[in-house]
Amino acid sequence: MNNSIRELAFVTSGQIGSDGDGVKLTRLIGTADLDMIDPFLLFDSFESDQANDYIGGFPSHPHRGFETVTYMINGKVRHKDSMGNEGVIEPNGVQWMTAGKGVVHSEMPEQQHGLLRGLQLWVNLPKTHKMTEPAYQEFDESKISTETTNGHTLNIVAGKTNLGTQGVIHNEHVQPTYLDVFLTGTEPFEQTLEENHNAFIYVISGEVSVGINQAKLGERQLGVLTKGKQVRVEVTNTNKDSRFLLVAAKPLNEPVARSGPFVMNSHKELRQAFDDFSNNRF
Ligand code: FE2
């Protein structure tokens, strides 16, 4: 029975770096330590109250072959793309963008000062859909379902909770789960997942204890989970509320050829992506 409860398999604090026009960030997936968690290709956390760390933003850049998921904790980001789509992502709001065959967009802070904190996840697309038409699923906080279970509050971005609440995001390819959990109860938080889905936890604040082993995962750490049916997470210190993301999806098990903003199945397709972009075919 216990072996169906997922345990912490690997823990990382990520790698500090910068991307875009000098935005300081911590990369947690897509590093030498943790190349990917199929189908998750990259996971970045950007967080600073110093404008110099983020004001440059992510000016115009392309993507092809996967999806970018931006989730804001504090502050706002304005996105704008080459097809005329534009919007602002606000705290507890999500933008799930299918880049597909190609999007050129910018992601810029919608503020001159104050705390900006957000997370970006890259989700791979299957070979059959890498060249699909670009699409957006974008929802602000008011559109994202919430639920209280065992005293914990959940924002349900994607997937289905044990109580049956369905997230707003639809993705048949990898059937993602993306839950923002405020661990406010004293009972363990439990969530059933497909046994073969890859899953990770990222601690937004506080500290959590994972699985039967009660291994600790600290603030801003990412923990990869073992396979299994059940996720169990509890607080380690009942005086401190903790908050974490639980993210899971079906692995694609396909070859990955990636370079910068393009993620395809072969080097030939990568060369084509660079060629198409430099010849304005996006
Ligand atoms: Fe982007």
Side-chain angles (χ1 to χ4, degrees):
M1 194 64 182
N2 284 359
N3 61 8
S4 75
I5 293 183
R6 291 176 180 246
E7 303 291 345
L8 271 186
F10 179 80
V11 173
T12 179
S13 298
Q15 203 172 299
I16 292 167
S18 80
D19 209 340
D21 187 9
V23 178
K24 281 198 183 151
L25 53 79
T26 303
R27 182 152 295 165
L28 292 123
I29 301 176
T31 65
D33 282 349
L34 186 58
D35 179 42
M36 65 181 285
I37 310 170
D38 187 12
F40 306 119
L41 302 156
L42 177 142
F43 186 61
D44 281 346
S45 161
F46 47 95
E47 175 184 4
S48 181
D49 57 7
Q50 302 297 308
N52 282 342
D53 291 342
Y54 60 72
I55 206 75
F58 301 88
S60 192
H61 60 277
H63 294 291
R64 174 182 280 182
F66 59 99
E67 302 183 298
T68 65
V69 180
T70 306
Y71 189 67
M72 293 306 296
I73 310 291
N74 302 96
K76 301 176 187 180
V77 164
R78 177 175 294 272
H79 68 91
K80 216 185 263 193
D81 76 20
S82 49
M83 294 167 294
N85 300 302
E86 185 171 355
V88 176
I89 314 165
E90 302 197 13
N92 304 322
V94 68
Q95 184 203 52
W96 196 294
M97 181 184 83
T98 305
K101 68 181 185 183
V103 163
V104 180
H105 75 163
S106 62
E107 300 156 289
M108 303 298 288
E110 184 78 347
Q111 61 193 56
Q112 303 293 319
H113 52 79
L115 177 61
L116 184 74
R117 185 175 187 192
L119 300 161
Q120 189 170 90
L121 177 70
W122 288 11
V123 183
N124 209 357
L125 282 167
K127 189 178 174 61
T128 49
H129 285 75
K130 282 192 174 290
M131 296 299 277
T132 192
E133 289 297 321
Y136 289 91
Q137 298 183 70
E138 195 165 333
F139 301 95
D140 65 25
E141 186 177 17
S142 69
K143 302 284 191 310
I144 294 176
S145 304
T146 61
E147 176 186 292
T148 301
T149 178
N150 264 358
H152 311 299
T153 305
L154 281 63
N155 292 347
I156 305 137
V157 175
K160 192 177 177 183
T161 68
N162 285 7
L163 296 181
T165 309
Q166 188 73 49
V168 285
I169 299 295
H170 293 279
N171 177 323
E172 286 306 314
H173 312 308
V174 297
Q175 299 150 24
T177 298
Y178 194 116
L179 304 177
D180 181 2
V181 183
F182 295 78
L183 209 53
T184 42
T186 50
E187 297 287 304
F189 162 78
E190 290 188 331
Q191 171 67 35
T192 306
L193 295 177
E194 290 294 329
E195 202 165 359
N196 65 335
H197 281 196
N198 283 329
F200 70 87
I201 285 173
Y202 174 72
V203 180
I204 294 172
S205 60
E207 184 186 54
V208 303
S209 160
V210 181
I212 297 291
N213 294 343
Q214 301 195 313
K216 289 184 174 52
L217 191 63
E219 196 157 82
R220 299 182 182 83
Q221 284 189 319
L222 181 146
V224 182
L225 302 180
T226 58
K227 295 281 173 75
K229 276 202 169 132
Q230 206 67 15
V231 176
R232 179 186 290 185
V233 182
E234 52 199 314
V235 285
T236 56
N237 174 355
T238 48
N239 295 316
K240 192 176 183 185
D241 292 344
S242 296
R243 180 182 179 187
F244 67 93
L245 293 185
L246 170 62
V247 182
K250 188 172 95 177
L252 291 169
N253 294 313
E254 292 182 353
V256 173
R258 63 194 287 178
S259 182
F262 307 127
V263 185
M264 305 303 291
N265 298 108
S266 71
H267 289 287
K268 190 176 169 219
E269 291 164 348
L270 271 186
R271 280 194 300 275
Q272 186 69 51
F274 278 104
D275 194 56
D276 286 349
F277 177 59
S278 55
N279 289 290
N280 294 316
R281 286 194 293 262
F282 264 44

